[in-house]
Amino acid sequence: MRLIQLSRDSIAFPSPEGALREPNGLLALGGDLSPARLLMAYQRGIFPWFSPGDPILWWSPDPRAVLFPDQFHLSRSMKRFHRNSPYRVTLNHAFERVIAECADDRDEGTWITPEIIDAYKRLHELGHAHSIEVWEDKELVGGVYGVAQGSLFCGESMFSRRENASKTALLVFCQHFLSYGGKLIDCQVLNAHTASLGATEIPRREYLEHLSIFRPQHLASYCWVPQILS
């Protein structure tokens, strides 16, 4: 297996099955972050992730972390909290602010560079990238953003400034997504936070099979219209 250098003259990607085992899932480098290339990547189960100053790196890890929205783990304490939640949750009301807060919510530094922010803002303007916002009064205290692929949602990042804010964002989004026929949320790589919410790992091959089935399943357009969710 070898790392593939992408051309700026073509948005084609190599097969995800050719990704490196170490580092897990690294598939290619180079290219650009144009909307066409990003959408092609997501359609093939690939996403960009790289540090500031590095070339653009493209990944498709094996196994893949996913969350089936009907299997969101609602703990007793979270259930009590949500019953009397001080938060209001909206959809697509403040995409640019959510991605900026996600970039700032990393003590160890962030891969969400100005280049990434600009690229996903373009995807949002084209109707492909979406945000879920959590508000306490008029203050933005949590949120999630990602890219829709039919009835599959590719979660990119989340942030939390108050107790249970990001959990609230994901919980309410799962309920909304399910009500419109949403089938799966891609979490990319499992971590303790997403695992506590019900995310699990599946083989990359299985994820790609889900993607091929769910991507053509178009949800009703109102699913992504800016709105108050709770």
Side-chain angles (χ1 to χ4, degrees):
M1 297 181 182
R2 63 186 182 86
L3 196 59
I4 302 297
Q5 171 76 53
L6 299 182
S7 167
R8 282 187 171 268
D9 299 323
S10 169
I11 62 170
F13 282 92
S15 168
E17 299 295 350
L20 300 179
R21 294 179 180 173
E22 184 58 43
N24 179 19
L26 181 57
L27 176 67
L29 77 160
D32 56 30
L33 295 173
S34 66
R37 192 185 299 273
L38 280 172
L39 291 175
M40 178 62 73
Y42 282 100
Q43 290 167 13
R44 303 206 66 190
I46 300 163
F47 58 88
W49 182 62
F50 57 99
S51 299
D54 288 347
I56 300 171
L57 300 178
W58 301 91
W59 303 76
S60 186
D62 186 17
R64 189 76 166 229
V66 298
L67 172 62
F68 292 91
D70 60 347
Q71 296 178 16
F72 182 94
H73 176 65
L74 185 61
S75 65
R76 291 183 195 174
S77 60
M78 183 61 191
K79 190 173 184 178
R80 287 194 299 271
F81 179 88
H82 188 60
R83 191 181 301 123
N84 300 296
S85 175
Y87 302 142
R88 177 171 55 93
V89 183
T90 59
L91 174 74
N92 283 332
H93 277 217
F95 182 89
E96 188 171 349
R97 290 181 62 187
V98 168
I99 193 171
E101 290 286 352
C102 287
D104 288 341
D105 195 38
R106 300 288 182 272
D107 293 336
E108 70 281 7
T110 183
W111 59 274
I112 306 175
T113 63
E115 184 181 14
I116 285 284
I117 291 174
D118 288 343
Y120 283 83
K121 280 169 56 181
R122 290 196 298 272
L123 280 190
H124 175 66
E125 290 162 1
L126 292 169
H128 301 291
H130 307 284
S131 60
I132 301 91
E133 304 91 14
V134 179
W135 308 86
E136 186 172 28
D137 296 323
K138 296 182 179 181
E139 183 181 0
L140 182 64
V141 297
V144 177
Y145 80 94
V147 177
Q149 289 287 293
S151 60
L152 188 152
F153 183 75
C154 302
E156 279 295 315
S157 188
M158 61 175 63
F159 80 96
S160 185
R161 302 285 185 230
R162 295 285 190 279
E163 180 185 11
N164 292 327
S166 62
K167 291 182 182 180
T168 297
L170 195 54
L171 168 61
V172 174
F173 174 68
C174 281
Q175 295 169 342
H176 173 77
F177 194 45
L178 268 174
S179 72
Y180 278 88
K183 299 293 198 307
L184 188 65
I185 297 173
D186 171 28
C187 302
Q188 299 178 346
V189 178
L190 194 67
N191 58 43
H193 182 60
T194 54
S196 73
L197 300 177
T200 188
E201 291 182 323
I202 61 175
R204 176 174 56 215
R205 180 184 67 257
E206 186 177 336
Y207 172 77
L208 294 175
E209 289 171 355
H210 284 310
L211 178 61
S212 68
I213 294 169
F214 298 151
R215 189 172 63 80
Q217 297 178 355
H218 298 292
L219 305 185
S221 59
Y222 191 73
C223 178
W224 302 115
V225 169
Q227 58 194 278
I228 297 172
L229 298 183
S230 74

